[in-house]
Amino acid sequence: MNKLPILTIDQFQNNKGDEELYANILSDHLIIHDATISAPHKHDFYLTVLFTQGSGVHEVDFNSYPITKGALFLINPGQTHYWKFFEKVEGYLFFHSKAYYDFHFPNKSINKYPFYYSVLNPSVLFLDHNQVLNYILVFKDIIKEKDSWDTMAVQKTALLIDLLYINTTRMYLEKEGF
């Protein structure tokens, strides 16, 4: 049996030299990295993807989820995943290493978030229209700050990511009935 490739964060283009964080518009990411990510694979980083347009199927650890507007996926390191698109997709994504999170939040654990706590927990949330609009603003801000040389851009980027995780946790717990 063939082993699945494990993608590392350093395989992806980083504009400002931050080797522990990647953020991009989904369509741009797919153009640049299609050959690397088109087959089932795993990563050594935490991945967050928001779909804002299009359709398809996203398989995560042999569970199939629909790709629709508002599908927010949070994938743990080591999880197997791939997607198949039925029409052109749009959205946003970012991913980071455990070291990135631990550096910025030394008194917290990323694995305390319910979507990263266990690979048995669902890897997707379906956001409503207003939630999608709010998340788009956060993703755009993450991408802007990540590529910025503005004062404290690195700190703001980390805080935006953590804020997204906090807001996602609230929705996740409500929707999953925890």
Side-chain angles (χ1 to χ4, degrees):
M1 178 175 183
N2 292 337
K3 288 180 98 176
L4 290 175
I6 299 175
L7 305 181
T8 61
I9 201 161
D10 61 353
Q11 291 177 262
F12 297 89
Q13 172 185 344
N14 288 291
N15 294 336
K16 237 175 62 175
D18 187 341
E19 298 170 2
E20 302 296 325
L21 172 67
Y22 174 92
N24 207 343
I25 296 167
L26 183 59
S27 57
D28 292 348
H29 175 75
L30 294 172
I31 290 167
I32 298 167
H33 299 290
D34 184 57
T36 308
I37 62 174
S38 59
H41 60 276
K42 299 178 180 190
H43 322 115
D44 71 347
F45 49 82
Y46 296 87
L47 167 67
T48 304
V49 182
L50 173 65
F51 288 94
T52 60
Q53 179 181 312
S55 67
V57 174
H58 191 180
E59 188 166 301
V60 181
D61 287 343
F62 310 105
N63 294 307
S64 292
Y65 301 99
I67 293 172
T68 60
K69 179 181 180 179
L72 177 70
F73 289 92
L74 299 116
I75 310 295
N76 270 295
Q79 285 190 282
T80 300
H81 86 111
Y82 75 96
W83 40 48
K84 185 163 112 176
F85 303 123
F86 304 140
E87 59 186 8
K88 184 179 179 200
V89 294
E90 295 291 338
Y92 303 90
L93 79 161
F94 67 83
F95 43 86
H96 59 80
S97 66
K98 183 172 185 334
Y100 173 86
Y101 192 86
D102 290 348
F103 175 79
H104 290 284
F105 304 101
N107 296 321
K108 295 174 77 172
S109 171
I110 192 164
N111 297 104
K112 295 290 184 183
Y113 290 112
F115 36 85
Y116 291 144
Y117 179 74
S118 169
V119 295
L120 299 177
N121 288 347
S123 299
V124 65
L125 270 176
F126 295 99
L127 308 180
D128 66 30
H129 178 73
N130 288 333
Q131 292 167 333
V132 170
L133 295 177
N134 289 333
Y135 271 66
I136 287 171
L137 295 174
V138 176
F139 272 91
K140 284 182 175 181
D141 214 9
I142 289 168
I143 292 167
K144 176 182 153 265
E145 291 296 326
K146 192 227 177 277
D147 294 336
S148 169
W149 291 99
D150 289 346
T151 303
M152 302 187 84
V154 171
Q155 293 85 347
K156 183 175 178 183
T157 304
L159 290 170
L160 287 165
I161 289 170
D162 202 46
L163 182 61
L164 184 140
Y165 288 160
I166 290 167
N167 289 334
T168 303
T169 295
R170 291 175 178 178
M171 285 188 291
Y172 191 92
L173 294 175
E174 182 181 307
K175 289 185 179 186
E176 292 303 316
F178 289 109

